Structure formats: structure tokens, C-alpha cells
């Protein structure tokens, strides 16, 4: 693997795990409601202060976009 590929792969993983990446993923999905419910189920399965806050902000963002 080239360094460029490793950097690109790392950026993708970082994007998925960041708050901004989660918001983009929910908004980009064809079914926002389904993605939001999936995120809620994940938070319920393993709740933490950060995940609860993230979910709250995501819900507020999605509601403001709709």
C-alpha cells in the first residue's frame, strides 16, 4: 500500500467516528428517520455521556434541516 492510500483510509475511519461524520452520514442517507433510529439503538446499547450528547445534537440538527 502506498502512503496516500493509508492516509485516505485513515481519513475515512476518522470521518465515520467523528460527530461531523455521523451527521453527514445521517443526512446523506436516503432514509434519515431510519438512520436516526439506528443511531438511537446504538446509543441505547452502549450509552456514554459523549454518545448521548452527540445523539441530542444530531436530532437537533436533523430537525432544523427538515
Amino acid at each position: 500500500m502506498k502512503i496516500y492510500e493509508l492516509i485516505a483510509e485513515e481519513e475515512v475511519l476518522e470521518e465515520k467516528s467523528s460527530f461531523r461524520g455521523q451527521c453527514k452520514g445521517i443526512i446523506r442517507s436516503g432514509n434519515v428517520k431510519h438512520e436516526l433510529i439506528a443511531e438511537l439503538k446504538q446509543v441505547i446499547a452502549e450509552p456514554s455521556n459523549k454518545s448521548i450528547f452527540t445523539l441530542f445534537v444530531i436530532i437537533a440538527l436533523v430537525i432544523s434541516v427538515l
Side-chain angles (χ1 to χ4, degrees):
M1 265 190 179
K2 293 186 177 186
I3 293 176
Y4 296 116
E5 293 173 352
L6 291 172
I7 292 172
E9 185 178 307
E10 186 68 28
E11 287 176 353
V12 168
L13 290 174
E14 188 174 309
E15 180 80 17
K16 287 182 180 179
S17 65
S18 71
F19 170 73
R20 184 176 181 185
Q22 290 174 343
C23 290
K24 283 183 179 181
I26 290 174
I27 293 172
R28 283 185 197 157
S29 70
N31 191 349
V32 174
K33 182 179 178 182
H34 175 71
E35 288 295 320
L36 197 57
I37 290 172
E39 186 71 25
L40 178 62
K41 286 180 182 178
Q42 182 180 359
V43 168
I44 290 172
E46 37 186 79
S48 70
N49 290 338
K50 184 178 178 182
S51 63
I52 292 171
F53 176 74
T54 301
L55 182 63
F56 171 75
V57 174
I58 289 171
I59 289 171
L61 177 66
V62 169
I63 289 173
S64 68
V65 169
L66 297 177

